[in-house]
Amino acid sequence: MDFKELKKKLSSGGRMSDAEAVELLETEDIFSLGELANKVCEKKNKKFVHFIRNRHINPGNICVNRCKFCAFSRSAGEKGAYAYTIPQMVGMAKKVAGKVSEFHIVGGLNPDMDMDFYVDLFRALKKEVPGVSIKALTAVEIDYLSKCSGIKINKILEILKEAGLDSMPGGGAEIFRQKVRGKLCPEKIDGKRWLKIMETAHKAGIKTTATMLFGHLESFADRVDHLRRLRALQDKTGGFLAFIPLPFHPKNTKIENTHPLSGLDIIRTIAVSRLYLDNFDHIKAYWIMTGEKLAQTCLLFGADDLDGTVIEEKIAHDAGAESKEAMTVEEITRMIKKAGKVPVERDTFYRRLKVWN
Ligand code: V47
Ligand code: SF4
């Protein structure tokens, strides 16, 4: 790869091609890749690295899909299955009142958790813990609510928005290409449907994020195919706030992980995402899944966001993540400063609330 030529092309508004992205996912010249990704990142975000005070809440792990890569889900009645009640979740939320600005709420596809359940949950959270933004329900969950209720997607979104939904997380994207997706999660909605639901949400004024699960059965070309479809939708709607590559954790899953991810592969994927997704403002290194130390390194390779305090995490930890479940603001800001960047506390919509100098 001729990095000088690539830099010239990107800085004059040219776009990275799929072939270039695949080549960069394999490059041994990690330093030139990092230098370029960091430059593009700082052009968009200066030296700011964002974080949010958030609490993840997983209403339940009972799921009819049972994706093969998921160690979190259970079938109804199986050992380890759980379903929180609304009062239980409101209780958890009240404990962090004043300490968080966002609840991130995702769970399994449980027929007992229907539209009424989520409407009541969001209303109760808004009433009991006002002022905290609700980022909830992936495109996969929205699709399930629609199928169970017979209500169309745009109406589902309208009802949930009215009840308090502020934004949607980017989970459930996995890998769009059906050849791989069909092996990973045969029961899940396909990539086209995921993108269509996100498009509908964006058109309804609901901002979302986007993810990609990588490091399982996919090739580099499959990763780039995923990025290409996201870039195309972002050109159309501008509704994605951030992109989050999620490194696969194999423990307790049904995917035989013959090629475990290396730290360098994670770093390259962050950097290539930063360069390829020129219409995304933010790339998140989700410290829970990359590990704290690698997340810090990613801040020099194109990432400008670390997610947040999280407080309780089940999805990655059920699959063997060795990171902590929570970080304090002091820990996050120290980590960012030690990388030579400037910590900024943000809200859901990336409005800057406070610079932590
Ligand atoms: O959709 C499931 C992934 C996602 C495993 O939107 C796994 O800001 C790794 O989407 N190894 C849920 N990953 C988490 C998620 C997320 C997290 C943080 C921030 C945001 C955001 C979104 O977790 C699932 C799936 O893609 N996942 N199992 C696993 N074994
Ligand atoms: Fe269910 Fe989501 Fe796990 Fe798939 S990834 S089994 S849809 S909880």
Side-chain angles (χ1 to χ4, degrees):
M1 173 66 65
D2 184 338
F3 279 95
K4 256 196 188 152
E5 276 303 307
L6 181 61
K7 186 176 165 193
K8 217 160 94 190
K9 173 169 127 173
L10 298 185
S11 54
S12 60
R15 289 194 134 174
M16 175 169 283
S17 71
D18 291 10
E20 285 165 338
V22 171
E23 194 181 332
L24 287 177
L25 284 171
E26 293 170 330
T27 185
E28 286 183 10
D29 191 355
I30 191 91
F31 297 114
S32 299
L33 173 62
E35 194 185 355
L36 188 55
N38 190 47
K39 209 162 236 141
V40 169
C41 178
E42 292 194 350
K43 201 168 168 206
K44 283 184 184 285
N45 294 289
K46 307 200 177 73
K47 285 200 177 288
F48 292 136
V49 168
H50 304 86
F51 69 95
I52 185 163
R53 292 176 196 246
N54 61 355
R55 196 210 194 283
H56 286 214
I57 300 175
N58 304 120
N61 61 355
I62 295 170
C63 186
V64 298
N65 265 9
R66 305 306 312 269
C67 304
K68 296 198 186 333
F69 60 78
C70 177
F72 163 73
S73 65
R74 297 286 183 280
S75 297
E78 193 182 337
K79 191 166 168 255
Y82 77 92
Y84 290 141
T85 62
I86 292 175
Q88 280 174 322
M89 287 186 273
V90 171
M92 290 172 194
K94 276 175 143 178
K95 280 198 187 132
V96 293
K99 296 192 188 121
V100 300
S101 68
E102 180 186 273
F103 295 126
H104 179 154
I105 305 171
V106 292
L109 309 182
N110 179 345
D112 293 335
M113 292 182 173
D114 57 9
M115 275 300 279
D116 287 344
F117 176 86
Y118 283 107
V119 165
D120 292 348
L121 172 63
F122 296 167
R123 287 210 178 118
L125 287 172
K126 287 290 181 191
K127 180 162 174 265
E128 300 295 333
V129 200
V132 179
S133 135
I134 296 180
K135 169 171 169 173
L137 298 173
T138 65
V140 176
E141 292 169 279
I142 296 287
D143 175 77
Y144 187 65
L145 289 174
S146 167
K147 281 192 182 120
C148 290
S149 63
I151 303 172
K152 285 209 168 92
I153 298 292
N154 48 6
K155 188 67 190 165
I156 293 270
L157 293 171
E158 191 189 313
I159 296 168
L160 293 172
K161 201 175 164 191
E162 209 269 322
L165 180 77
D166 295 295
S167 76
M168 280 166 56
E174 322 314 356
I175 272 283
F176 294 141
R177 200 171 254 173
Q178 195 54 34
K179 188 168 56 103
V180 185
R181 194 178 184 87
K183 291 185 194 145
L184 283 182
C185 45
E187 307 298 332
K188 191 166 259 176
I189 55 169
D190 65 16
K192 265 195 190 151
R193 178 85 177 142
W194 188 95
L195 289 160
K196 189 75 208 157
I197 291 170
M198 286 312 205
E199 185 176 347
T200 311
H202 297 168
K203 283 186 178 150
I206 299 170
K207 298 273 185 192
T208 77
T209 52
T211 61
M212 171 178 74
L213 182 68
F214 70 104
H216 36 81
L217 308 173
E218 88 292 1
S219 65
F220 290 143
D222 296 329
R223 286 187 210 173
V224 175
D225 171 77
H226 193 93
L227 296 181
R228 183 175 43 72
R229 298 198 213 188
L230 288 174
R231 188 168 76 178
L233 181 55
Q234 182 74 332
D235 277 344
K236 214 165 152 185
T237 67
F240 289 119
L241 291 163
F243 176 65
I244 311 116
L246 300 172
F248 174 56
H249 288 60
K251 205 170 162 195
N252 305 323
T253 74
K254 293 197 177 72
I255 302 291
E256 253 184 67
N257 195 31
T258 45
H259 302 288
L261 272 173
S262 71
L264 288 180
D265 195 5
I266 294 174
I267 285 175
R268 280 189 203 98
T269 304
I270 289 274
V272 170
S273 303
R274 177 58 292 161
L275 295 172
Y276 190 94
L277 296 175
D278 53 2
N279 50 5
F280 278 64
D281 288 339
H282 305 287
I283 302 293
K284 184 187 289 187
Y286 182 40
W287 65 265
I288 290 269
M289 290 204 195
T290 60
E292 297 88 337
K293 291 190 168 109
L294 197 60
Q296 186 189 37
T297 313
C298 288
L299 301 183
L300 301 179
F301 285 80
D304 67 285
D305 184 27
L306 285 174
D307 201 80
T309 47
V310 180
I311 302 181
E312 188 183 23
E313 205 287 329
K314 296 180 192 292
I315 297 169
H317 285 84
D318 284 351
E322 285 171 3
S323 55
K324 300 193 289 188
E325 274 191 68
M327 265 213 262
T328 63
V329 168
E330 289 66 36
E331 286 168 327
I332 297 181
T333 52
R334 193 179 329 124
M335 186 168 145
I336 297 170
K337 283 185 198 170
K338 291 276 181 195
K341 300 270 179 161
V342 180
V344 186
E345 184 180 342
R346 64 163 175 90
D347 70 4
T348 297
F349 303 102
Y350 285 80
R351 287 181 295 228
R352 293 178 183 146
L353 302 178
K354 181 175 170 183
V355 177
W356 287 75
N357 274 317

